């Protein structure tokens, strides 16, 4: 099945949703070289304050390579907000921002949290708020005046979603060019740029085993932060939200520090947000 790329009308403003991973970095640099037009007015990176250090380091390098500004926005620390429990009048504990944790009930049944809001609250909303302000979008405006370039690659086309905002349209230049993630890496190498890191929160439950293993061996501080986060989540959210389930970051529902991530390597599970695996369908994380 092929992705459907809707016709894109020319708009007054063109902006990039920059995840600072492989695909969006490649897309931004292709814009810089005039291989994707029109040139964006600016790029926006939404910081959950929980990315691995390699992403922040690369973001600084990337800012120096791009001819247009990169604005950084944040709604604060996603991990802190996820641990911030509120209490209803009848005593139920809940948090306003949900991460897609895996769950194990008291009877041993495995599941996962379906209604997550981390991407919406910490990526989409802060980005679109900033775009509204910088592009002068009026209250109640229906006219499309902003085109948002999103770095979804050809191999992840199923993540393409139209814009939620009536005044904006999504555009997927890598889909138009039929470029896969590997071709983005090839383009980066051919143009003498380093391979960007994988961008996502250090504790993201969408990580493949390959990504967990990479974090564990190459970014041990980030991996340890994820281990600590899981422990805090389990302590803080115990018996919360009317549930007897324990929350986990890995789909096996085994404590992160005890999982053997190499067990899945031979099954081809190398793509954290790819088809056939749990993925972030918004197309905002991991690109
Ligand atoms: S990377 Fe994962 S945890 Fe972070 S905002 Fe995206 S889906 Fe949520």
């Amino acid at each position: 099945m092929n992705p459907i790329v809707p016709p894109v009308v020319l708009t007054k403003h063109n902006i990039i949703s920059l995840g600072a991973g492989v695909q969006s970095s490649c897309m931004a640099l292709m814009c810089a070289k005039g291989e994707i037009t029109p040139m964006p007015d600016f790029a926006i990176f939404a910081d959950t304050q929980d990315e691995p250090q390699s992403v922040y380091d690369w973001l600084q390098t990337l800012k120096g390579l791009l001819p247009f500004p990169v604005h950084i926005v944040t709604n604060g620390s996603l991990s802190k907000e996820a641990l911030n429990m509120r209490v209803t009048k009848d005593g139920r504990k809940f948090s306003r921002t949900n991460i897609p944790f895996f769950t194990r009930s008291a009877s041993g049944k495995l599941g996962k949290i379906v209604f997550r809001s981390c991407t919406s609250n910490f990526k989409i909303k802060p980005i679109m708020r900033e775009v509204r302000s910088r592009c002068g979008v009026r209250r109640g405006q229906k006219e499309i005046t902003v085109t948002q370039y999103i770095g979804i690659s050809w191999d992840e086309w199923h993540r393409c979603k139209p814009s939620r905002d009536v005044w904006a349209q999504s555009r997927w230049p890598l889909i138009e060019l039929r470029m896969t993630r590997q071709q983005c890496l090839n383009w980066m190498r051919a143009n003498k740029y380093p391979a960007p890191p994988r961008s996502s929160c250090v504790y993201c439950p969408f990580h493949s085993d390959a990504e967990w293993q990479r974090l564990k061996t190459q970014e041990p501080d980030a991996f340890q932060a994820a281990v600590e986060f899981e422990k805090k989540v389990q302590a803080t959210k115990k018996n919360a939200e009317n549930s007897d389930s324990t929350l986990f970051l890995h789909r096996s529902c085994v404590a992160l520090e005890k999982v053997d991530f190499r067990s899945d390597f031979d099954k081809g599970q190398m793509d954290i947000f790819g088809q056939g695996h749990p993925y972030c369908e918004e197309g905002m994380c991991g690109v």
Side-chain angles (χ1 to χ4, degrees), residues 48 78 99-100 116 118-119 200-201 203-206 280 285:
T48 62
L78 169 52
I99 288 170
R116 76 191 157 85
C118 49
T119 312
S200 57
C201 303
Y203 44 73
C204 183
F206 288 135
C280 168
C285 307

Side-chain angles (χ1 to χ4, degrees), residues 22-23 153 155 179-187 189:
V22 171
Q23 290 101 321
S153 51
D155 47 324
M179 282 181 74
T180 62
R181 184 174 188 277
Q182 184 56 51
Q183 286 170 320
C184 291
L185 285 166
N186 296 348
W187 186 93
R189 198 179 312 113

Side-chain angles (χ1 to χ4, degrees), residues 14-26:
N14 297 281
I15 63 106
I16 288 189
S17 280
L18 187 66
V22 171
Q23 290 101 321
S24 68
S25 299
C26 174

Side-chain angles (χ1 to χ4, degrees), residues 87-266:
V87 185
T88 61
K89 281 183 187 157
D90 56 356
R92 283 175 293 124
K93 291 198 288 179
F94 71 101
S95 58
R96 283 206 187 124
T97 295
N98 286 315
I99 288 170
F101 295 111
F102 294 95
T103 59
R104 190 179 64 213
S105 71
S107 64
K109 193 171 171 209
L110 303 189
K112 63 180 177 183
I113 290 183
V114 180
F115 300 108
R116 76 191 157 85
S117 47
C118 49
T119 312
S120 175
N121 292 351
F122 281 77
K123 293 274 182 185
I124 298 172
K125 285 180 185 167
I127 286 176
M128 298 317 269
R129 192 166 54 225
E130 186 75 6
V131 172
R132 276 194 85 111
S133 158
R134 290 189 176 273
C135 297
V137 177
R138 301 181 310 278
R139 204 178 179 83
Q141 177 180 312
K142 300 240 175 353
E143 180 198 357
I144 297 174
T145 53
V146 177
T147 300
Q148 184 179 19
Y149 297 5
I150 298 175
I152 294 177
S153 51
W154 179 249
D155 47 324
E156 297 184 355
W157 64 265
H158 52 286
R159 298 175 66 194
C160 294
K161 292 271 164 67
S163 175
R164 296 178 180 186
D165 295 284
V166 290
W167 46 266
Q169 63 180 357
S170 298
R171 183 185 171 199
W172 306 279
L174 300 175
I175 298 277
E176 293 167 21
L177 295 165
R178 302 198 172 206
M179 282 181 74
T180 62
R181 184 174 188 277
Q182 184 56 51
Q183 286 170 320
C184 291
L185 285 166
N186 296 348
W187 186 93
M188 295 290 290
R189 198 179 312 113
N191 286 276
K192 307 206 176 341
Y193 296 122
R198 181 79 82 169
S199 78
S200 57
C201 303
V202 295
Y203 44 73
C204 183
F206 288 135
H207 286 337
S208 67
D209 281 4
E211 177 62 6
W212 282 124
Q213 180 69 9
R214 189 199 69 76
L215 275 181
K216 190 173 179 179
T217 53
Q218 294 176 27
E219 301 202 55
D221 290 349
F223 183 76
Q224 195 52 37
V227 168
E228 297 302 325
F229 178 63
E230 182 180 69
K231 287 179 183 166
K232 281 186 195 161
V233 163
Q234 289 176 348
T236 309
K237 291 187 178 258
K238 201 171 170 51
N239 299 326
E241 282 145 10
N242 271 357
S243 167
D244 64 1
S245 293
T246 307
L247 304 180
F248 292 89
L249 295 178
H250 190 260
R251 67 187 180 285
S252 63
C253 291
V254 170
L256 198 59
E257 58 195 334
K258 294 192 178 149
V259 179
D260 178 6
F261 303 113
R262 292 165 300 179
S263 60
D264 260 340
F265 273 17
D266 292 336

